[in-house]
mmCIF file of all heavy atoms in Angstrom:
data_model
loop_
_atom_site.group_PDB
_atom_site.id
_atom_site.type_symbol
_atom_site.label_atom_id
_atom_site.label_comp_id
_atom_site.label_asym_id
_atom_site.label_seq_id
_atom_site.Cartn_x
_atom_site.Cartn_y
_atom_site.Cartn_z
ATOM 1 N N TRP Q 20 51.277 -38.570 -98.330
ATOM 2 C CA TRP Q 20 49.837 -38.981 -98.130
ATOM 3 C C TRP Q 20 49.770 -39.996 -97.046
ATOM 4 O O TRP Q 20 50.436 -41.004 -96.903
ATOM 5 C CB TRP Q 20 49.478 -39.672 -99.489
ATOM 6 C CG TRP Q 20 49.366 -38.703 -100.637
ATOM 7 C CD1 TRP Q 20 50.372 -38.265 -101.460
ATOM 8 C CD2 TRP Q 20 48.205 -37.798 -101.043
ATOM 9 N NE1 TRP Q 20 49.845 -37.340 -102.293
ATOM 10 C CE2 TRP Q 20 48.530 -37.013 -102.054
ATOM 11 C CE3 TRP Q 20 46.904 -37.826 -100.508
ATOM 12 C CZ2 TRP Q 20 47.754 -36.162 -102.691
ATOM 13 C CZ3 TRP Q 20 45.965 -36.960 -101.120
ATOM 14 C CH2 TRP Q 20 46.392 -36.150 -102.187
ATOM 15 N N LEU Q 21 48.713 -39.829 -96.172
ATOM 16 C CA LEU Q 21 48.558 -40.669 -95.049
ATOM 17 C C LEU Q 21 47.348 -41.624 -95.385
ATOM 18 O O LEU Q 21 46.351 -41.206 -95.901
ATOM 19 C CB LEU Q 21 48.285 -39.934 -93.778
ATOM 20 C CG LEU Q 21 49.309 -38.825 -93.476
ATOM 21 C CD1 LEU Q 21 48.860 -38.077 -92.067
ATOM 22 C CD2 LEU Q 21 50.675 -39.365 -93.307
ATOM 23 N N SER Q 22 47.514 -42.904 -94.988
ATOM 24 C CA SER Q 22 46.619 -43.874 -95.316
ATOM 25 C C SER Q 22 45.555 -44.240 -94.207
ATOM 26 O O SER Q 22 45.921 -44.154 -92.992
ATOM 27 C CB SER Q 22 47.257 -45.135 -95.727
ATOM 28 O OG SER Q 22 47.856 -45.772 -94.708
ATOM 29 N N SER Q 23 44.408 -44.604 -94.686
ATOM 30 C CA SER Q 23 43.436 -45.114 -93.746
ATOM 31 C C SER Q 23 42.566 -46.178 -94.371
ATOM 32 O O SER Q 23 42.622 -46.305 -95.591
ATOM 33 C CB SER Q 23 42.361 -43.918 -93.210
ATOM 34 O OG SER Q 23 41.754 -43.404 -94.342
ATOM 35 N N PHE Q 24 41.885 -46.950 -93.533
ATOM 36 C CA PHE Q 24 41.026 -47.969 -94.153
ATOM 37 C C PHE Q 24 39.847 -48.139 -93.205
ATOM 38 O O PHE Q 24 39.911 -48.170 -91.988
ATOM 39 C CB PHE Q 24 41.829 -49.374 -94.008
ATOM 40 C CG PHE Q 24 41.086 -50.553 -94.652
ATOM 41 C CD1 PHE Q 24 40.963 -50.650 -96.046
ATOM 42 C CD2 PHE Q 24 40.461 -51.463 -93.973
ATOM 43 C CE1 PHE Q 24 40.212 -51.703 -96.634
ATOM 44 C CE2 PHE Q 24 39.670 -52.396 -94.449
ATOM 45 C CZ PHE Q 24 39.649 -52.564 -95.895
ATOM 46 N N GLY Q 25 38.596 -47.995 -93.930
ATOM 47 C CA GLY Q 25 37.408 -48.013 -93.046
ATOM 48 C C GLY Q 25 37.285 -46.912 -92.202
ATOM 49 O O GLY Q 25 36.598 -47.053 -91.152
ATOM 50 N N GLY Q 26 37.847 -45.723 -92.449
ATOM 51 C CA GLY Q 26 37.783 -44.652 -91.601
ATOM 52 C C GLY Q 26 38.710 -44.550 -90.497
ATOM 53 O O GLY Q 26 38.754 -43.620 -89.640
ATOM 54 N N ARG Q 27 39.688 -45.518 -90.354
ATOM 55 C CA ARG Q 27 40.684 -45.662 -89.338
ATOM 56 C C ARG Q 27 42.007 -45.510 -89.895
ATOM 57 O O ARG Q 27 42.265 -46.093 -90.935
ATOM 58 C CB ARG Q 27 40.427 -47.004 -88.611
ATOM 59 C CG ARG Q 27 39.106 -47.197 -87.864
ATOM 60 C CD ARG Q 27 39.132 -48.384 -87.003
ATOM 61 N NE ARG Q 27 39.855 -48.031 -85.927
ATOM 62 C CZ ARG Q 27 40.125 -48.979 -84.899
ATOM 63 N NH1 ARG Q 27 39.641 -50.084 -84.942
ATOM 64 N NH2 ARG Q 27 40.798 -48.558 -83.828
ATOM 65 N N VAL Q 28 42.813 -44.601 -89.277
ATOM 66 C CA VAL Q 28 44.106 -44.392 -89.704
ATOM 67 C C VAL Q 28 44.954 -45.654 -89.561
ATOM 68 O O VAL Q 28 44.919 -46.416 -88.559
ATOM 69 C CB VAL Q 28 44.733 -43.275 -88.848
ATOM 70 C CG1 VAL Q 28 46.151 -42.961 -89.165
ATOM 71 C CG2 VAL Q 28 44.004 -41.874 -89.122
ATOM 72 N N ASN Q 29 45.782 -45.896 -90.610
ATOM 73 C CA ASN Q 29 46.788 -47.021 -90.511
ATOM 74 C C ASN Q 29 47.986 -46.638 -89.842
ATOM 75 O O ASN Q 29 48.717 -45.746 -90.297
ATOM 76 C CB ASN Q 29 47.066 -47.486 -91.989
ATOM 77 C CG ASN Q 29 45.963 -48.153 -92.727
ATOM 78 O OD1 ASN Q 29 45.217 -48.890 -92.106
ATOM 79 N ND2 ASN Q 29 45.792 -47.788 -93.996
ATOM 80 N N VAL Q 30 48.297 -47.368 -88.749
ATOM 81 C CA VAL Q 30 49.593 -47.006 -87.913
ATOM 82 C C VAL Q 30 50.445 -48.281 -88.046
ATOM 83 O O VAL Q 30 50.139 -49.374 -87.774
ATOM 84 C CB VAL Q 30 49.019 -46.695 -86.511
ATOM 85 C CG1 VAL Q 30 50.326 -46.333 -85.681
ATOM 86 C CG2 VAL Q 30 48.079 -45.541 -86.438
ATOM 87 N N GLY Q 31 51.751 -47.926 -88.209
ATOM 88 C CA GLY Q 31 52.762 -49.004 -88.168
ATOM 89 C C GLY Q 31 53.192 -49.405 -86.787
ATOM 90 O O GLY Q 31 52.715 -48.800 -85.785
ATOM 91 N N ALA Q 32 53.929 -50.440 -86.707
ATOM 92 C CA ALA Q 32 54.368 -50.894 -85.429
ATOM 93 C C ALA Q 32 55.150 -49.915 -84.491
ATOM 94 O O ALA Q 32 55.053 -49.966 -83.345
ATOM 95 C CB ALA Q 32 55.298 -52.214 -85.657
ATOM 96 N N GLU Q 33 55.740 -48.993 -85.259
ATOM 97 C CA GLU Q 33 56.523 -47.956 -84.528
ATOM 98 C C GLU Q 33 55.631 -46.813 -84.085
ATOM 99 O O GLU Q 33 56.168 -45.927 -83.344
ATOM 100 C CB GLU Q 33 57.729 -47.408 -85.382
ATOM 101 C CG GLU Q 33 57.339 -46.433 -86.458
ATOM 102 C CD GLU Q 33 56.569 -47.155 -87.749
ATOM 103 O OE1 GLU Q 33 56.573 -48.385 -87.818
ATOM 104 O OE2 GLU Q 33 55.930 -46.382 -88.560
ATOM 105 N N GLY Q 34 54.384 -46.795 -84.397
ATOM 106 C CA GLY Q 34 53.340 -45.825 -84.037
ATOM 107 C C GLY Q 34 53.146 -44.652 -84.937
ATOM 108 O O GLY Q 34 52.203 -43.814 -84.728
ATOM 109 N N ASP Q 35 53.803 -44.582 -86.054
ATOM 110 C CA ASP Q 35 53.664 -43.525 -87.048
ATOM 111 C C ASP Q 35 52.601 -43.864 -87.998
ATOM 112 O O ASP Q 35 52.391 -45.109 -88.297
ATOM 113 C CB ASP Q 35 54.931 -43.240 -87.784
ATOM 114 C CG ASP Q 35 54.926 -41.859 -88.520
ATOM 115 O OD1 ASP Q 35 54.067 -41.085 -88.055
ATOM 116 O OD2 ASP Q 35 55.769 -41.781 -89.454
ATOM 117 N N VAL Q 36 51.845 -42.927 -88.504
ATOM 118 C CA VAL Q 36 50.845 -43.130 -89.584
ATOM 119 C C VAL Q 36 51.521 -43.626 -90.887
ATOM 120 O O VAL Q 36 52.442 -42.987 -91.250
ATOM 121 C CB VAL Q 36 49.983 -41.844 -89.826
ATOM 122 C CG1 VAL Q 36 48.930 -42.156 -90.899
ATOM 123 C CG2 VAL Q 36 49.330 -41.411 -88.420
ATOM 124 N N LEU Q 37 50.967 -44.698 -91.400
ATOM 125 C CA LEU Q 37 51.628 -45.199 -92.779
ATOM 126 C C LEU Q 37 51.095 -44.342 -93.799
ATOM 127 O O LEU Q 37 49.959 -43.813 -93.905
ATOM 128 C CB LEU Q 37 51.111 -46.597 -92.871
ATOM 129 C CG LEU Q 37 51.555 -47.599 -91.854
ATOM 130 C CD1 LEU Q 37 50.995 -49.009 -92.033
ATOM 131 C CD2 LEU Q 37 53.099 -47.698 -91.738
ATOM 132 N N GLY Q 38 52.033 -44.269 -94.879
ATOM 133 C CA GLY Q 38 51.707 -43.482 -96.021
ATOM 134 C C GLY Q 38 52.875 -43.256 -96.889
ATOM 135 O O GLY Q 38 54.012 -43.853 -96.584
ATOM 136 N N GLY Q 39 52.773 -42.673 -98.093
ATOM 137 C CA GLY Q 39 53.880 -42.473 -99.027
ATOM 138 C C GLY Q 39 53.823 -41.045 -99.671
ATOM 139 O O GLY Q 39 52.912 -40.422 -99.488
ATOM 140 N N HIS Q 40 54.971 -40.830 -100.282
ATOM 141 C CA HIS Q 40 55.092 -39.529 -100.982
ATOM 142 C C HIS Q 40 54.368 -39.472 -102.171
ATOM 143 O O HIS Q 40 53.816 -38.473 -102.740
ATOM 144 C CB HIS Q 40 56.576 -39.145 -101.227
ATOM 145 C CG HIS Q 40 57.284 -39.045 -99.893
ATOM 146 N ND1 HIS Q 40 57.292 -37.934 -99.166
ATOM 147 C CD2 HIS Q 40 58.136 -39.917 -99.299
ATOM 148 C CE1 HIS Q 40 57.987 -38.024 -98.164
ATOM 149 N NE2 HIS Q 40 58.578 -39.320 -98.175
#
Side-chain angles (χ1 to χ4, degrees):
W20 292 90
L21 305 179
S22 69
S23 61
F24 186 78
R27 299 188 72 182
V28 174
N29 291 319
V30 179
E33 74 288 347
D35 196 19
V36 178
L37 299 175
H40 297 283

